[in-house]
Structure formats: C-alpha cells, structure tokens
Amino acid sequence: MVDCKMPIAVFDSGLGGISVLKELLRLLPNENFIYYGDTANAPYGVKSAEQVRELTFSVYERLKTRGIKAFVIACNTATSVAVAALREKYPRDIIIGVEPALKPAVLCAQHPTVAVLATPLTLKEEKFATLMGRFGDDAEVIPFACPGLVEFVERGEIMGDGLQEFLNGLLAPLKREQLDAVVLGCTHYPLVKDAIVEALGGEVLVFDGSAGTARETKRRLESAGLLNNGSDGGVVFIDSAYPNTENADRSTLMRFGGEYLCS
Ligand code: DGL
C-alpha cells in the first residue's frame, strides 16, 4: 500500500538527474527522496533502446519492491525508450518522465532557431520525432547529438580547459547557426551549462526540462493525495557502482551530487 511518507525515487544513468533532484528539493522540501544513479552502466545514450529499457525496468522493479510512492525518470534517454512501456505494465503507479523543453523554447521569439542537444539515442527515438512533429513548424529546430559529453560529467569534470576545448570543438557547427535558444535535452547538460553557453558564443537562451518535471511530480502527488506534509525530508543516494553501500562516500555521484545540491 502506497502512503505519503514513502520516498520519491529519482533515477538517471548517473549524475545527470541531480539537476532534476535539485528542482524537486526546491519544490518539495518535505519529501523523502531516493536518488538512484546507474553509474555502473552509464552512459545510456550510446546503448541500444532494448538495453536501456531493460536497465530501466530492472531499477524500477527493485525500487518498487523497496517501497516508493513515485518514480521520476530524470533521464531523457530512459524516458524515450521506457516510460510508455513502464506505464503500460504498471498503470496505477506514478511514473514521471522528462523530455526536451522544446515547447517553451519555440515561444522565445518569432520563428526562432533552436538547437536541441541530447544523446544519440534520445534523438533517434520515436518520442523525439513526435515532439518535433508538434513544435517543428514553429521554429527552425536543429537536433544535435553530443556523444562523449556525459562522460565529462560522470568524472565530475564540469569546468576547466579540457571540457571547454571538447565543447568548443563539438559545438563549433552550431556557433555558425545564429541560435536564439538551446534546449538541454539530457539531464547531464545543465551541470555544464556555463561551458555550453561559452562554446556557443554567449548570446543564447537556455531551456531545460527539470523545473517542469518537478512541477509535474508535485501535481501528480497532489492529485493522488500523496504529498508529505511532515517535515522529515531528505535524500538517500544509491550508486549502482557501489551496490552494497547506500550513500557511498567514495562515489563521485554522492560527493559531487551533495556539493551540487548545496550550490
Ligand atoms: N542523463 C541522461 C539523459 O537525460 C542520459 C545520459 C547518458 O547516460 O547517456 O539523457
């Protein structure tokens, strides 16, 4: 039986979902969270859809057995390939996904030029094609895969010359496009937002889906009568690279995530 004291699980392939957790903590400070980073299997964005679906189901089923009241897939890649199948198998459960924030981005100007940065798998999936179909006429949309970027974040390398050089090279084709906006369509990317903006030349609006995902989580819990009105909120970190240790202090996820949440 689900009750309001149960934790909300927040899941990503690794550290990226911390950007969503930050918004969740801001909006729902009384809630208990389990943050699950599958760092042993990151990155997801260059795997096959079947592999990522399987990994997502396996994490979900483990956390469901432990007892959670909602599951936030704080990963665009896992959402693309698994959210529909999970909801179909568990229609009563609260399962929230994240998707590239194209909707607000296309409203930022009259027919703006918008780049969507995401993993190769997110951009390949049907879900992204559907999103493009909904908003693609209102803007010049440039889907842009960023293989290799997640690995910087997973190492905790979110600033510095190495990262900047990598991004300057990767994003050079976009610098010529006179972008009005960029959508960070992978939850790892907000963690390196400053370096991305710098590589694009500085004059660009940035959108990501984390605040919208947090608002949707709150809405869903509210309408199910499952908000926790007590005051015992907190976060437990689980890093799949340290399977037997919750809050493992040797884990980059735990150290880096803790610092990022306080920043
Ligand atoms: N953070 C994830 C996303 O939002 C996936 C990154 C990866 O593991 O490739 O897409």
Side-chain angles (χ1 to χ4, degrees):
M1 184 66 187
V2 176
D3 74 67
C4 64
K5 293 276 175 217
M6 283 177 162
I8 300 166
V10 182
F11 159 66
D12 180 47
S13 62
L15 275 74
I18 297 284
S19 57
V20 178
L21 179 62
K22 192 166 185 162
E23 292 299 327
L24 283 162
L25 285 165
R26 220 196 298 269
L27 203 63
L28 298 166
N30 298 330
E31 297 293 340
N32 294 298
F33 292 93
I34 296 176
Y35 184 88
Y36 190 104
D38 192 9
T39 65
N41 294 301
Y44 277 10
V46 290
K47 290 185 161 51
S48 72
E50 293 67 34
Q51 282 174 309
V52 174
R53 199 173 300 122
E54 237 170 69
L55 289 165
T56 306
F57 265 80
S58 132
V59 171
Y60 182 67
E61 282 162 358
R62 214 164 328 137
L63 293 174
K64 184 173 163 65
T65 306
R66 177 178 168 137
I68 55 172
K69 64 179 178 182
F71 186 63
V72 180
I73 309 179
C75 174
N76 292 264
T77 311
T79 300
S80 304
V81 301
V83 74
L86 266 180
R87 286 178 181 148
E88 193 177 316
K89 184 162 180 198
Y90 302 103
R92 283 217 243 278
D93 296 359
I94 298 180
I95 299 169
I96 291 128
V98 61
E99 68 176 16
L102 191 52
K103 185 178 174 181
V106 302
L107 296 173
C108 77
Q110 191 71 25
H111 207 84
T113 302
V114 179
V116 181
L117 310 188
T119 68
L121 185 53
T122 297
L123 297 179
K124 250 196 296 196
E125 282 300 297
E126 175 83 31
K127 202 167 191 310
F128 184 71
T130 307
L131 191 68
M132 280 286 278
R134 276 171 65 203
F135 302 108
D137 290 344
D138 304 327
E140 183 68 39
V141 181
I142 307 171
F144 197 89
C146 299
L149 181 51
V150 163
E151 287 87 332
F152 277 88
V153 178
E154 285 298 299
R155 289 196 293 274
E157 194 178 339
I158 60 162
M159 54 179 81
D161 294 346
L163 172 70
Q164 198 61 59
E165 254 166 54
F166 172 80
L167 281 169
N168 290 350
L170 180 76
L171 302 180
L174 288 179
K175 217 178 158 183
R176 296 190 283 273
E177 293 288 346
Q178 308 224 312
L179 296 179
D180 295 294
V182 62
V183 175
L184 306 182
C186 166
T187 54
H188 280 69
Y189 303 169
L191 279 65
V192 288
K193 175 177 157 185
D194 293 348
I196 289 174
V197 171
E198 167 88 28
L200 292 173
E203 305 275 310
V204 68
L205 293 168
V206 182
F207 294 86
D208 77 70
S210 47
T213 305
R215 284 194 300 272
E216 174 66 5
T217 305
K218 185 175 181 191
R219 259 196 305 272
R220 294 288 304 278
L221 289 170
E222 218 160 26
S223 70
L226 283 174
L227 280 177
N228 186 5
N229 295 315
S231 56
D232 54 352
V235 183
V236 169
F237 285 95
I238 304 178
D239 179 341
S240 64
Y242 299 87
N244 303 316
T245 328
E246 287 188 1
N247 294 330
D249 57 6
R250 283 178 302 132
S251 133
T252 310
L253 162 64
M254 175 65 206
R255 281 187 282 109
F256 172 83
E259 268 169 42
Y260 180 79
L261 291 176
C262 295
S263 69

